[in-house]
Amino acid sequence: MPQFDPHTLVIVDDDYDQRHASDGHSRYGAYFQRRAGLPLDGEPPYTAPQFAVVAWGIAGAPVMSPGYVRVRPDVHDITAHVDDDGGLLLRVEIRLRHRALADRPCYLGDWEQDRNLGADQAWPRLDTPYQPERAALLTTATLLLPVHTGNLIAPTGIKPDRTMIGQARDNVAAVAAHINTMAYAVNELTGAGR
């Protein structure tokens, strides 16, 4: 499996997906078939951005654990949304420590590094403070990334068969590739790679 680095915020784990597939083909595909929530008869078909939102939403936590898409631990969450113009917009949530603020009260608690011994130390995940009786200032930045929709695919069918699952996987891969090309913006916020 590829490793996280300053240019890799998300990894699509095809090897794990196939090795652990309950249907013998794709673990993601099995989840997709059960959860896609495709338009009903008479409703308009999904546009490519709408289909990408569905495909991305199934690919990670909380639907799949571990996810078909793995997110670098220092990035809290990445969600996909259709914007007001029908395009695709990604919301990247990043927890920031107080050092990211110019002026802060030093008596307030802060995000703390995950104490899980198996945690990725190169890309530490920040969790809530371990002193719940102490006031805390928890800062989260939201990075909005518009996605060029030319690389996205609208479903060609109406049932979640292997063709549609392949199209969903292609959309997940396209979104992941876009996120990784924008890694510099996240690294600027988190100080990663310095």
Side-chain angles (χ1 to χ4, degrees):
M1 179 171 134
Q3 298 296 310
F4 294 114
D5 61 42
H7 307 288
T8 307
L9 296 178
V10 295
I11 296 171
V12 178
D13 197 349
D14 285 308
D15 291 338
Y16 185 92
D17 182 63
Q18 291 172 353
R19 279 195 323 269
H20 294 87
S22 60
D23 67 357
H25 299 286
S26 168
R27 186 170 161 263
Y28 173 72
Y31 275 84
F32 184 84
Q33 284 182 316
R34 288 191 305 266
R35 296 182 156 262
L38 299 171
L40 301 173
D41 289 340
E43 292 182 348
Y46 280 147
T47 63
Q50 290 169 330
F51 189 54
V53 167
V54 170
W56 185 263
I58 294 169
V63 176
M64 293 185 74
S65 182
Y68 173 53
V69 171
R70 310 282 173 93
V71 178
R72 202 170 75 186
D74 62 331
V75 176
H76 178 63
D77 196 17
I78 302 174
T79 55
H81 307 271
V82 175
D83 67 21
D84 292 340
D85 297 323
L88 184 63
L89 183 68
L90 300 173
R91 290 179 59 98
V92 182
E93 301 288 331
I94 306 149
R95 293 175 172 176
L96 300 176
R97 288 212 161 152
H98 289 156
R99 67 174 161 67
L101 302 175
D103 187 21
R104 63 161 178 90
C106 59
Y107 59 85
L108 293 174
D110 199 352
W111 295 113
E112 293 187 14
Q113 187 168 332
D114 185 355
R115 294 181 185 190
N116 181 351
L117 295 178
D120 186 335
Q121 297 304 310
W123 311 105
R125 187 179 122 189
L126 298 178
D127 280 330
T128 52
Y130 298 106
Q131 299 174 343
E133 69 283 351
R134 182 177 173 196
L137 175 63
L138 304 177
T139 306
T140 303
T142 301
L143 180 64
L144 300 177
L145 300 176
V147 178
H148 174 67
T149 58
N151 294 333
L152 301 177
I153 303 167
T156 55
I158 57 171
K159 293 184 180 181
D161 57 11
R162 283 198 189 169
T163 299
M164 185 179 286
I165 291 166
Q167 293 166 337
R169 290 167 62 120
D170 289 347
N171 278 345
V172 168
V175 170
H178 180 74
I179 292 167
N180 287 334
T181 63
M182 302 300 289
Y184 70 88
V186 172
N187 293 335
E188 284 297 310
L189 288 170
T190 63
R194 290 185 193 159

Coordinates of all heavy atoms in Angstrom, one line a residue, residues 138-189:
L138 N -10.7 24.9 20.6 CA -10.4 23.9 19.6 C -10.7 24.6 18.2 O -11.8 24.9 17.9 CB -11.3 22.7 19.8 CG -11.2 22.1 21.2 CD1 -12.2 20.9 21.3 CD2 -9.8 21.6 21.4
T139 N -9.6 24.7 17.5 CA -9.7 25.4 16.2 C -9.7 24.4 15.1 O -8.9 23.5 15.0 CB -8.4 26.4 16.1 OG1 -8.4 27.2 17.2 CG2 -8.5 27.2 14.8
T140 N -10.6 24.6 14.1 CA -10.7 23.8 13.0 C -10.8 24.7 11.7 O -11.6 25.6 11.7 CB -12.0 22.9 13.0 OG1 -11.9 22.1 14.2 CG2 -12.0 22.0 11.8
A141 N -10.0 24.4 10.8 CA -10.0 25.1 9.5 C -10.8 24.3 8.5 O -10.6 23.1 8.5 CB -8.6 25.4 9.0
T142 N -11.5 25.0 7.7 CA -12.2 24.3 6.6 C -11.7 24.8 5.3 O -11.8 26.0 5.0 CB -13.8 24.6 6.7 OG1 -14.2 24.1 7.9 CG2 -14.5 23.9 5.5
L143 N -11.1 24.0 4.5 CA -10.6 24.3 3.2 C -11.6 23.8 2.2 O -12.0 22.7 2.2 CB -9.3 23.6 3.0 CG -8.5 23.8 1.7 CD1 -8.1 25.3 1.6 CD2 -7.3 22.9 1.6
L144 N -12.1 24.7 1.3 CA -13.0 24.4 0.3 C -12.3 24.2 -1.0 O -11.6 25.2 -1.5 CB -14.1 25.5 0.1 CG -15.0 25.7 1.4 CD1 -15.9 26.8 1.2 CD2 -15.7 24.4 1.8
L145 N -12.4 23.1 -1.7 CA -11.7 22.8 -2.9 C -12.7 22.5 -4.0 O -13.4 21.5 -4.0 CB -10.8 21.6 -2.8 CG -9.7 21.6 -1.7 CD1 -9.0 20.3 -1.7 CD2 -8.7 22.7 -2.1
P146 N -12.9 23.4 -5.0 CA -13.7 23.1 -6.1 C -13.0 22.1 -7.0 O -11.8 22.1 -7.1 CB -13.9 24.5 -6.9 CG -12.7 25.3 -6.4 CD -12.3 24.8 -5.1
V147 N -13.8 21.2 -7.6 CA -13.3 20.1 -8.4 C -13.8 20.3 -9.9 O -15.0 20.5 -10.1 CB -13.7 18.8 -7.9 CG1 -13.2 17.6 -8.8 CG2 -13.3 18.6 -6.5
H148 N -12.8 20.3 -10.8 CA -13.2 20.3 -12.2 C -13.9 19.0 -12.5 O -13.4 17.9 -12.2 CB -11.9 20.5 -13.1 CG -12.2 20.4 -14.5 ND1 -12.9 21.3 -15.2 CD2 -11.9 19.4 -15.4 CE1 -13.0 21.0 -16.5 NE2 -12.4 19.8 -16.6
T149 N -15.1 19.1 -13.0 CA -16.0 17.9 -13.2 C -15.7 17.2 -14.5 O -16.3 16.2 -14.8 CB -17.4 18.3 -13.1 OG1 -17.8 19.3 -14.1 CG2 -17.8 18.9 -11.7
G150 N -14.8 17.7 -15.3 CA -14.5 17.0 -16.6 C -14.0 15.6 -16.4 O -14.1 14.8 -17.4
N151 N -13.4 15.3 -15.3 CA -12.9 13.9 -15.1 C -13.9 13.0 -14.4 O -13.6 11.8 -14.1 CB -11.6 14.0 -14.2 CG -10.5 14.7 -14.9 OD1 -10.4 14.7 -16.1 ND2 -9.6 15.3 -14.1
L152 N -15.1 13.5 -14.1 CA -16.1 12.7 -13.4 C -17.0 12.0 -14.4 O -17.2 12.5 -15.5 CB -16.9 13.6 -12.4 CG -16.0 14.3 -11.3 CD1 -16.9 15.2 -10.5 CD2 -15.3 13.3 -10.5
I153 N -17.6 11.0 -13.9 CA -18.5 10.1 -14.8 C -19.9 10.1 -14.2 O -20.1 9.9 -13.0 CB -18.0 8.7 -14.8 CG1 -16.5 8.7 -15.4 CG2 -18.9 7.8 -15.7 CD1 -15.9 7.3 -15.2
A154 N -20.9 10.4 -15.0 CA -22.3 10.1 -14.6 C -22.6 8.7 -14.8 O -22.1 8.0 -15.8 CB -23.2 11.0 -15.4
P155 N -23.4 8.1 -14.0 CA -23.7 6.7 -14.2 C -24.4 6.4 -15.5 O -25.3 7.2 -15.9 CB -24.6 6.3 -13.0 CG -25.2 7.6 -12.6 CD -24.2 8.6 -12.9
T156 N -24.1 5.3 -16.2 CA -24.7 5.0 -17.5 C -25.9 4.1 -17.4 O -26.7 4.0 -18.3 CB -23.7 4.4 -18.5 OG1 -23.1 3.2 -17.8 CG2 -22.6 5.4 -18.8
G157 N -26.1 3.6 -16.2 CA -27.2 2.7 -16.0 C -28.1 3.2 -14.8 O -27.9 4.3 -14.3
I158 N -29.0 2.3 -14.4 CA -29.9 2.7 -13.3 C -29.8 1.7 -12.1 O -30.4 1.9 -11.1 CB -31.4 2.8 -13.8 CG1 -31.8 1.5 -14.4 CG2 -31.5 4.0 -14.7 CD1 -33.3 1.4 -14.7
K159 N -29.0 0.6 -12.3 CA -28.9 -0.3 -11.2 C -27.4 -0.4 -10.8 O -26.5 -0.3 -11.7 CB -29.3 -1.7 -11.7 CG -30.8 -1.8 -11.9 CD -31.2 -3.2 -12.3 CE -32.8 -3.2 -12.5 NZ -33.2 -4.5 -12.9
P160 N -27.1 -0.7 -9.5 CA -25.7 -0.7 -9.1 C -25.1 -2.1 -9.5 O -24.7 -2.9 -8.6 CB -25.8 -0.6 -7.6 CG -27.2 -1.0 -7.2 CD -28.0 -0.7 -8.4
D161 N -24.8 -2.3 -10.8 CA -24.2 -3.5 -11.3 C -22.7 -3.2 -11.3 O -22.2 -2.2 -10.9 CB -24.7 -3.9 -12.6 CG -24.6 -2.8 -13.7 OD1 -23.9 -1.8 -13.4 OD2 -25.2 -2.9 -14.8
R162 N -21.9 -4.2 -11.9 CA -20.5 -4.0 -11.9 C -20.0 -2.8 -12.8 O -19.0 -2.2 -12.4 CB -19.8 -5.3 -12.5 CG -19.8 -6.4 -11.5 CD -18.8 -7.4 -11.9 NE -19.0 -8.6 -11.0 CZ -18.4 -9.7 -11.1 NH1 -17.6 -9.9 -12.2 NH2 -18.6 -10.7 -10.3
T163 N -20.7 -2.5 -13.8 CA -20.4 -1.3 -14.6 C -20.5 -0.1 -13.8 O -19.6 0.8 -13.8 CB -21.3 -1.2 -15.9 OG1 -21.1 -2.4 -16.7 CG2 -21.0 0.0 -16.7
M164 N -21.6 0.1 -13.1 CA -21.8 1.3 -12.2 C -20.8 1.3 -11.1 O -20.3 2.4 -10.7 CB -23.3 1.3 -11.7 CG -23.5 2.6 -10.9 SD -25.2 2.8 -10.3 CE -26.1 3.1 -11.8
I165 N -20.5 0.2 -10.5 CA -19.5 0.1 -9.4 C -18.2 0.6 -10.0 O -17.5 1.4 -9.3 CB -19.5 -1.2 -8.8 CG1 -20.7 -1.5 -8.0 CG2 -18.2 -1.4 -7.9 CD1 -20.9 -3.0 -7.6
G166 N -17.8 0.2 -11.2 CA -16.6 0.6 -11.8 C -16.6 2.1 -12.0 O -15.6 2.8 -11.8
Q167 N -17.7 2.7 -12.4 CA -17.8 4.1 -12.6 C -17.7 4.8 -11.3 O -17.1 5.9 -11.2 CB -19.2 4.4 -13.3 CG -19.2 3.9 -14.7 CD -20.7 3.9 -15.3 OE1 -21.6 3.9 -14.6 NE2 -20.7 3.9 -16.6
A168 N -18.3 4.3 -10.3 CA -18.2 4.9 -8.9 C -16.7 4.9 -8.5 O -16.2 5.9 -7.9 CB -19.1 4.2 -7.9
R169 N -16.0 3.8 -8.7 CA -14.6 3.7 -8.3 C -13.8 4.6 -9.1 O -12.8 5.3 -8.5 CB -14.1 2.2 -8.5 CG -14.7 1.2 -7.5 CD -14.4 -0.2 -7.9 NE -13.0 -0.5 -8.0 CZ -12.4 -1.4 -7.2 NH1 -13.1 -2.1 -6.4 NH2 -11.1 -1.6 -7.4
D170 N -14.1 4.8 -10.4 CA -13.4 5.8 -11.2 C -13.6 7.2 -10.6 O -12.6 8.0 -10.6 CB -13.8 5.8 -12.6 CG -13.3 4.5 -13.4 OD1 -12.5 3.8 -12.8 OD2 -13.9 4.2 -14.4
N171 N -14.8 7.5 -10.2 CA -15.0 8.9 -9.6 C -14.3 9.0 -8.3 O -13.7 10.1 -8.0 CB -16.5 9.1 -9.4 CG -17.3 9.5 -10.6 OD1 -16.7 9.9 -11.6 ND2 -18.6 9.4 -10.6
V172 N -14.3 8.0 -7.5 CA -13.5 8.1 -6.2 C -12.0 8.3 -6.5 O -11.4 9.2 -5.9 CB -13.7 6.8 -5.4 CG1 -12.7 6.7 -4.2 CG2 -15.1 6.7 -4.8
A173 N -11.5 7.6 -7.5 CA -10.1 7.8 -7.9 C -9.8 9.2 -8.4 O -8.8 9.8 -8.1 CB -9.7 6.7 -8.9
A174 N -10.7 9.8 -9.2 CA -10.6 11.1 -9.7 C -10.6 12.1 -8.6 O -9.8 13.1 -8.6 CB -11.7 11.4 -10.8
V175 N -11.5 12.0 -7.6 CA -11.6 12.9 -6.5 C -10.3 12.8 -5.7 O -9.7 13.8 -5.3 CB -12.9 12.7 -5.7 CG1 -12.8 13.5 -4.4 CG2 -14.1 13.0 -6.5
A176 N -9.9 11.6 -5.4 CA -8.6 11.4 -4.6 C -7.4 12.0 -5.3 O -6.6 12.7 -4.7 CB -8.4 9.9 -4.4
A177 N -7.3 11.9 -6.6 CA -6.2 12.5 -7.4 C -6.3 14.0 -7.2 O -5.2 14.6 -7.1 CB -6.3 12.0 -8.8
H178 N -7.5 14.6 -7.3 CA -7.6 16.0 -7.2 C -7.2 16.5 -5.8 O -6.5 17.5 -5.7 CB -9.0 16.4 -7.5 CG -9.2 17.9 -7.4 ND1 -8.8 18.8 -8.3 CD2 -9.8 18.7 -6.4 CE1 -9.0 20.0 -7.9 NE2 -9.7 20.0 -6.8
I179 N -7.6 15.8 -4.8 CA -7.2 16.1 -3.4 C -5.7 16.1 -3.3 O -5.1 17.0 -2.7 CB -7.9 15.2 -2.4 CG1 -9.4 15.4 -2.4 CG2 -7.3 15.3 -1.0 CD1 -10.2 14.3 -1.7
N180 N -5.1 15.1 -3.8 CA -3.6 14.9 -3.6 C -2.9 16.0 -4.4 O -1.8 16.5 -4.0 CB -3.2 13.6 -4.0 CG -3.5 12.5 -3.0 OD1 -3.7 12.8 -1.8 ND2 -3.7 11.3 -3.5
T181 N -3.5 16.5 -5.5 CA -2.8 17.7 -6.2 C -2.9 18.9 -5.4 O -2.2 19.9 -5.6 CB -3.4 17.9 -7.6 OG1 -4.8 18.3 -7.5 CG2 -3.2 16.7 -8.5
M182 N -3.9 19.0 -4.5 CA -4.1 20.2 -3.6 C -3.5 20.0 -2.3 O -3.7 20.8 -1.4 CB -5.6 20.5 -3.5 CG -6.3 20.7 -4.8 SD -5.7 22.1 -5.7 CE -6.3 23.4 -4.7
A183 N -2.6 19.0 -2.1 CA -2.0 18.7 -0.8 C -1.2 19.9 -0.2 O -1.2 20.1 1.0 CB -1.1 17.5 -0.9
Y184 N -0.6 20.7 -1.1 CA 0.2 21.9 -0.7 C -0.7 22.8 0.2 O -0.1 23.4 1.2 CB 0.8 22.6 -1.9 CG -0.3 23.4 -2.7 CD1 -0.6 24.7 -2.3 CD2 -0.9 22.8 -3.7 CE1 -1.6 25.3 -3.1 CE2 -1.9 23.4 -4.5 CZ -2.2 24.7 -4.1 OH -3.2 25.4 -4.8
A185 N -1.9 23.0 -0.1 CA -2.8 23.9 0.7 C -3.0 23.4 2.1 O -2.9 24.1 3.1 CB -4.1 24.1 0.0
V186 N -3.2 22.1 2.2 CA -3.4 21.5 3.6 C -2.0 21.5 4.3 O -2.0 21.9 5.5 CB -3.9 20.1 3.5 CG1 -3.9 19.3 4.8 CG2 -5.3 20.1 2.9
N187 N -0.9 21.3 3.6 CA 0.4 21.3 4.3 C 0.7 22.7 4.8 O 1.4 22.8 5.8 CB 1.4 20.8 3.3 CG 1.3 19.3 3.0 OD1 0.7 18.5 3.8 ND2 1.7 18.9 1.9
E188 N 0.3 23.7 4.1 CA 0.5 25.1 4.6 C -0.2 25.3 5.9 O 0.3 26.0 6.8 CB 0.0 26.1 3.6 CG 0.9 26.3 2.4 CD 2.3 26.8 2.8 OE1 2.4 27.8 3.5 OE2 3.3 26.2 2.4
L189 N -1.4 24.7 6.1 CA -2.2 24.9 7.3 C -1.6 24.1 8.5 O -1.5 24.5 9.6 CB -3.6 24.5 7.1 CG -4.5 25.5 6.3 CD1 -5.8 24.9 6.0 CD2 -4.7 26.8 7.0

